[in-house]
Amino acid sequence: MDSQRTILVIALLVLSFFMYQQWLIKDATRTPGIDPTSAPQQVEDRDPSVPGGDLDVPVAEGTRDASVPAVDESSVIAGDTITVVTDTQRIEISLRGGDIIRAELLNHAETLGEDARYTILFNRPGEVHVAQSGLIGPDGLDNRSERPLFSVDQREFALQGETLTVPLYYTDEDGSVIVKTFTFNRGDYAVKVGYRIENNGENARTVAFYGQLKQTMLNGGRGSMFMPTYRGAAYSSDSNRYRKYSFGDIRDRNLNQTTPAGWVAMLEHYFVTAWVPDQNVTNRLYSNSNAQNEAMIGFIGPQMTVAPGSTLELTSVLYTGPKDQARLRELAQHLNLTVDYGFLWWLAQPIYWLLAFLHSFVHNWGLAIILVTVVVKSVLYPLTKAQYVSMAKMRKIAPRMKEMRERFGDDRHKMSQAMMKMYQEEKVNPLGGCLPMLLQLPIFLALYWVLLESPEIRHADFMLWITDLSSRDPYFILPLLMGASMYLMQRLQPTPVTDPMQAKILQYMPVVFTVFFLFFPAGLVLYWLVSNLISIAQMTYIYRQIDKKEQAKKKA
């Protein structure tokens, strides 16, 4: 197999890969690393102890009234909310239930170059994505006909120091005081959500902490063939370290799984919203959908009892922000896997580490990509040298190969025997030029997923007209330069191709690749362009060294 045929094979593999990715996005249960046959063992039919019918609030075991009507979130008016501003987020909290109904990420623009901030949580007509939480169980507040209406000391809160605590107060009929607190830390997208229950009644109170994410199930958000993205739910348990649970899964059946620790999340491109319950207890993970085409995934903590005159504190963590792998790993085991690198995660993770390490020195993601390319090409140089030496030898014996084809005609058996004999005499390995190219394919695909999934690359500026390495080149300059470099490589490494159809296909391969790369992230095209330029330099140097050796032999 010569280098030109290898390029054709790689093109077909790349196209097959993107078609395969689209298939995975449409069927999230077939994500690599997930056993689709295990699904029936992990979920059950509808259960009365998890949300059912039109209920949006989960029902815990032992609840006295399981026929609680759904709460109409649209009845909450502007005056029923408070605003919290930190250095990373602007959050609105509904006093009815204490849900977070809006979250803007202040360090992330909705669209590059515009002032509007990225809104990850929202409650607008026809579309909702909110983070709900509360107390359920025999004496819970949220299983009643109306969720609790909290009171506050002020309507606006702003982070001044390193930590900000926002308390919401509610006094029950028996005199018990429930304080729901939200604790924010500077530079962090994780919010600690806690309940303090002071039982001033005559009877013990049994409650359970629940947290859920509710989102409208829209059909969009999958991206394109070359930029596939997943929007939907995911969870982690002791039997599934990371499992996508699509909106289709939620429509079909309820998740109902008990697990130590665990977490639930809603995923979107570059961002994640996740509830992380107490990791030291056993929690129940569930999902549900309602008549408004809204999906819910959440957790229910263990039921806890607080005696009269005693106090109980329950806490969980809500993360709403970019997929920061280091921070997600700190919050819960396997939460960092929401940065989904696909089946090449084992290669993508070290590439991401190298990219971030180099960025810490150059402070420019485009330059970091160039340096990663230099490192990759340097590591592969011994194989690259063997590749070009093999190509040079193939060029040398090209006239003899042409003569053999003319001599043996259609007798492929004799032709094959003669060529193998010639390879042995000339010490030529016809496969020697394939390995370096094939090794670059998984590196290319792994880097593709790093650029697609890593939020650091989103809206990352390089230089000149490239202001976002995560999106395509707006003027298509990089893809055209990449195509030109690929054409030049073909001219520098001519190989004997006698089949007219194959020769025609190979002739148009730079054009085909250029069309592909028109839709790729600019960072990925930058990597391939720099890789081609380095290959051209290496090729020129190696061929010159070979020519010098040949001339020296002739003189000797």
Side-chain angles (χ1 to χ4, degrees):
M1 182 186 295
D2 57 58
S3 62
Q4 303 281 19
R5 292 189 181 94
T6 305
I7 292 175
L8 179 59
V9 171
I10 289 177
L12 294 175
L13 289 174
V14 169
L15 182 59
S16 301
F17 168 77
F18 288 112
M19 295 177 65
Y20 173 64
Q21 287 299 141
Q22 278 299 105
W23 177 67
L24 290 180
I25 292 296
K26 292 180 180 179
D27 188 358
T29 61
R30 299 182 182 272
T31 301
I34 295 177
D35 181 8
T37 62
S38 68
Q41 301 174 2
Q42 305 301 329
V43 296
E44 302 174 2
D45 293 332
R46 296 194 181 277
D47 187 290
S49 63
V50 297
D54 292 332
L55 294 181
D56 287 350
V57 175
V59 181
E61 297 176 358
T63 300
R64 296 193 180 98
D65 184 4
S67 59
V68 186
V71 178
D72 185 4
E73 296 290 340
S74 64
S75 64
V76 177
I77 60 175
D80 294 329
T81 65
I82 61 173
T83 302
V84 182
V85 179
T86 72
D87 61 326
T88 59
Q89 302 181 80
R90 179 185 177 88
I91 286 178
E92 291 183 14
I93 302 173
S94 169
L95 295 182
R96 178 67 70 183
D99 300 333
I100 297 181
I101 60 174
R102 183 177 176 83
E104 294 181 46
L105 308 182
L106 301 181
N107 297 326
H108 297 269
E110 186 80 32
T111 305
L112 182 64
E114 296 185 0
D115 294 333
R117 300 293 89 186
Y118 189 86
T119 304
I120 189 171
L121 296 180
F122 44 83
N123 186 13
R124 47 186 179 240
E127 189 177 8
V128 63
H129 184 197
V130 297
Q132 301 176 304
S133 58
L135 296 176
I136 56 176
D139 303 290
L141 303 177
D142 292 77
N143 289 130
R144 302 174 182 178
S145 60
E146 191 174 42
R147 295 181 69 197
L149 179 63
F150 290 93
S151 62
V152 288
D153 297 329
Q154 59 192 76
R155 293 284 180 170
E156 296 184 357
F157 296 82
L159 177 67
Q160 301 295 335
E162 294 298 316
T163 302
L164 171 65
T165 300
V166 177
L168 281 59
Y169 302 96
Y170 179 81
T171 302
D172 208 357
E173 297 175 353
D174 64 356
S176 296
V177 177
I178 292 89
V179 183
K180 185 173 186 177
T181 59
F182 297 84
T183 304
F184 303 85
N185 295 306
R186 183 172 294 278
D188 198 358
Y189 292 93
V191 181
K192 181 180 178 182
V193 182
Y195 274 93
R196 176 183 171 87
I197 303 123
E198 298 178 4
N199 187 357
N200 298 324
E202 297 180 354
N203 301 314
R205 299 178 66 105
T206 300
V207 298
F209 192 138
Y210 87 93
Q212 72 177 13
L213 303 169
K214 180 166 70 172
Q215 183 173 180
T216 303
M217 293 183 284
L218 299 178
N219 294 324
R222 287 176 176 170
S224 64
M225 176 179 178
F226 299 104
M227 291 282 287
T229 57
Y230 171 77
R231 188 181 186 99
Y235 72 90
S236 177
S237 66
D238 57 345
S239 58
N240 288 281
R241 64 175 193 165
Y242 168 64
R243 179 177 176 82
K244 291 179 180 176
Y245 209 68
S246 69
F247 290 146
D249 292 329
I250 294 176
R251 287 192 187 100
D252 294 341
R253 56 190 183 274
N254 277 348
L255 170 67
N256 183 19
Q257 184 172 347
T258 300
T259 178
W263 50 261
V264 295
M266 286 288 188
L267 309 182
E268 54 193 276
H269 197 193
Y270 296 120
F271 300 98
V272 59
T273 304
W275 271 112
V276 181
D278 188 343
Q279 298 294 285
N280 298 313
V281 300
T282 297
N283 300 288
R284 188 147 54 90
L285 311 182
Y286 68 87
S287 71
N288 186 38
S289 60
N290 61 20
Q292 288 73 45
N293 196 37
E294 295 168 346
M296 286 152 281
I297 188 167
F299 76 91
I300 301 175
Q303 293 194 9
M304 308 292 288
T305 301
V306 51
S310 300
T311 300
L312 174 68
E313 293 189 1
L314 303 172
T315 60
S316 290
V317 173
L318 174 68
Y319 183 90
T320 55
K323 295 177 182 178
D324 183 341
Q325 296 185 59
R327 184 65 179 116
L328 294 174
R329 190 181 293 108
E330 292 174 353
L331 291 175
Q333 190 176 24
H334 308 315
L335 187 55
N336 62 301
L337 296 181
T338 55
V339 183
D340 191 352
Y341 290 144
F343 67 93
L344 287 173
W345 60 268
W346 51 273
L347 182 58
Q349 287 184 348
I351 289 178
Y352 168 79
W353 177 89
L354 177 61
L355 191 66
F357 174 76
L358 295 173
H359 177 265
S360 65
F361 292 98
V362 297
H363 305 291
N364 182 298
W365 288 105
L367 293 178
I369 291 172
I370 293 175
L371 292 177
V372 166
T373 312
V374 172
V375 171
V376 170
K377 298 297 290 184
S378 299
V379 172
L380 294 179
Y381 179 74
L383 292 175
T384 301
K385 183 177 180 180
Q387 169 192 357
Y388 294 145
V389 170
S390 176
M391 288 181 184
K393 291 181 178 179
M394 291 293 289
R395 286 193 302 174
K396 181 180 178 181
I397 62 175
R400 294 177 59 186
M401 293 176 65
K402 183 178 180 180
E403 181 184 342
M404 288 180 183
R405 289 190 178 95
E406 294 174 353
R407 185 195 315 166
F408 295 107
D410 295 332
D411 193 338
R412 294 183 176 274
H413 179 68
K414 290 184 177 180
M415 174 70 180
S416 177
Q417 287 183 330
M419 289 185 68
M420 290 301 298
K421 183 179 179 180
M422 180 181 63
Y423 289 152
Q424 292 176 354
E425 292 174 352
E426 299 293 336
K427 297 181 180 180
V428 174
N429 180 6
L431 299 179
C434 303
L435 185 58
M437 289 187 178
L438 292 177
L439 283 178
Q440 287 192 65
L441 179 58
I443 296 174
F444 167 81
L445 296 178
L447 183 61
Y448 162 81
W449 277 111
V450 169
L451 297 179
L452 187 67
E453 282 289 305
S454 302
E456 297 90 345
I457 309 298
R458 181 179 186 265
H459 295 174
D461 185 23
F462 175 39
M463 62 175 60
L464 301 176
W465 71 97
I466 303 297
T467 56
D468 184 2
L469 288 166
S470 67
S471 62
R472 62 176 178 82
D473 184 337
Y475 304 113
F476 306 114
I477 296 175
L478 285 180
L480 292 175
L481 291 176
M482 189 284 304
S485 68
M486 190 172 179
Y487 174 77
L488 180 58
M489 287 179 64
Q490 278 193 346
R491 300 293 295 177
L492 290 175
Q493 53 180 26
T495 53
V497 178
T498 57
D499 181 53
M501 179 61 70
Q502 187 180 112
K504 201 73 173 176
I505 293 175
L506 291 174
Q507 181 182 354
Y508 285 101
M509 283 311 299
V511 178
V512 174
F513 264 66
T514 300
V515 173
F516 279 177
F517 277 74
L518 291 177
F519 306 97
F520 283 170
L524 193 67
V525 184
L526 177 64
Y527 165 80
W528 203 256
L529 171 61
V530 174
S531 178
N532 284 353
L533 294 177
I534 295 176
S535 294
I536 291 171
Q538 290 177 338
M539 187 185 310
T540 303
Y541 172 76
I542 293 171
Y543 284 168
R544 284 179 179 176
Q545 295 299 313
I546 294 174
D547 290 341
K548 287 181 180 180
K549 289 183 180 179
E550 290 293 331
Q551 292 176 2
K553 287 182 179 179
K554 291 179 180 179
K555 291 180 180 180

